[in-house]
Amino acid sequence: MHVAIRAVAAELVDAVAGQGRCDFTGHFAEVLPIRIFMALVNLPMDDAGHIRKWAACMTRPNPPMPFEEAKQAFYDYLEPVIIARRAAPGEDLISQMVTADMGGRPLSHDESLALCTQVLIAGVDTVVNFLGFVMLFLARNPDARTALSGMDGNGVMAATHELFRRYGLVIIARTVRHDMEFHGVNLKAGELVCIPTQVHGLDERINADPMTVDFARRAGRHSAFGSGPHMCPGQELARAEVAITIEEWLKRIPDFRLAAD
């Protein structure tokens, strides 16, 4: 998988390197992780636009399509895919999920729909946005570019841990199942609790000088990928995509800055 990521990253950077400027989000961030992910789940790249639109409607405020309609669109899209992959599984991620042994039983159809929808949302949305934060930081910080350019692959991979700590962007939502009191706060059944994961990594009681990106920071603590049973299963893919992007970009474009506009 690393070889495939590096090949796509190099191709995309080469395409813009000689132009003098680019829209990083449109020319790179919205392309690399989605191309890799669509190959991983063996879905047509032409469908990525629809999937990203539905994902945005389920994760952004004031969506053009209500949450339930976007979820149903995912379910309608995935249902024939799941049925086909269960009948004739391949090596792709969806096939492996819908045929997995869940302690002596397979996933139910409803569980498969929910899980595959969650995986598609994560695969086409989160890394796209995070790459934008990383490149914005690097465009504004030449010393950081120099430091990363002098690192080997292991060093760059370790540095991504600090970038994920500083720019974690996922907000986890949970529905309260029953009335309860939690640390003196009364919570009612049906209420929504939203937890920005970034507040963990930016807590000065946990990480000194938390707003500063420090590649020498040792074991910076954060929850960018969740924790416990909710730890993101795609975190290694995300780390690889970010680290390889940094390596391939800085090889070809070591110095760059934000355009005046």
Side-chain angles (χ1 to χ4, degrees), residues 199-252:
V199 300
H200 181 201
L202 299 180
D203 188 337
E204 61 186 9
R205 298 168 300 178
I206 295 172
N207 296 304
D209 191 17
M211 302 303 286
T212 298
V213 172
D214 180 3
F215 295 137
R217 190 187 301 273
R218 289 291 172 258
R221 292 166 59 192
H222 65 83
S223 297
F225 295 105
S227 61
H230 296 288
M231 182 69 76
C232 173
Q235 64 173 304
E236 296 307 321
L237 176 62
R239 292 182 196 278
E241 289 174 338
V242 173
I244 290 171
T245 289
I246 292 171
E247 290 175 9
E248 297 302 318
W249 187 279
L250 292 179
K251 282 180 189 175
R252 295 161 173 79

Side-chain angles (χ1 to χ4, degrees), residues 148-216:
L148 289 167
S149 295
M151 296 179 185
D152 61 15
N154 291 332
V156 175
M157 181 64 78
T160 65
H161 181 81
E162 173 68 353
L163 292 169
F164 277 108
R165 179 201 66 79
R166 175 61 182 85
Y167 297 109
L169 48 76
V170 173
I171 295 178
I172 297 172
R174 294 288 182 264
T175 302
V176 179
R177 296 182 65 178
H178 53 80
D179 293 355
M180 64 181 294
E181 182 180 313
F182 185 75
H183 289 263
V185 178
N186 290 317
L187 303 176
K188 300 296 183 183
E191 289 181 337
L192 193 66
V193 179
C194 292
I195 308 159
T197 59
Q198 54 265 47
V199 300
H200 181 201
L202 299 180
D203 188 337
E204 61 186 9
R205 298 168 300 178
I206 295 172
N207 296 304
D209 191 17
M211 302 303 286
T212 298
V213 172
D214 180 3
F215 295 137

Side-chain angles (χ1 to χ4, degrees), residues 20 47 68 111 176 184 234:
D47 292 349
E68 290 299 331
E111 288 171 336
V176 179

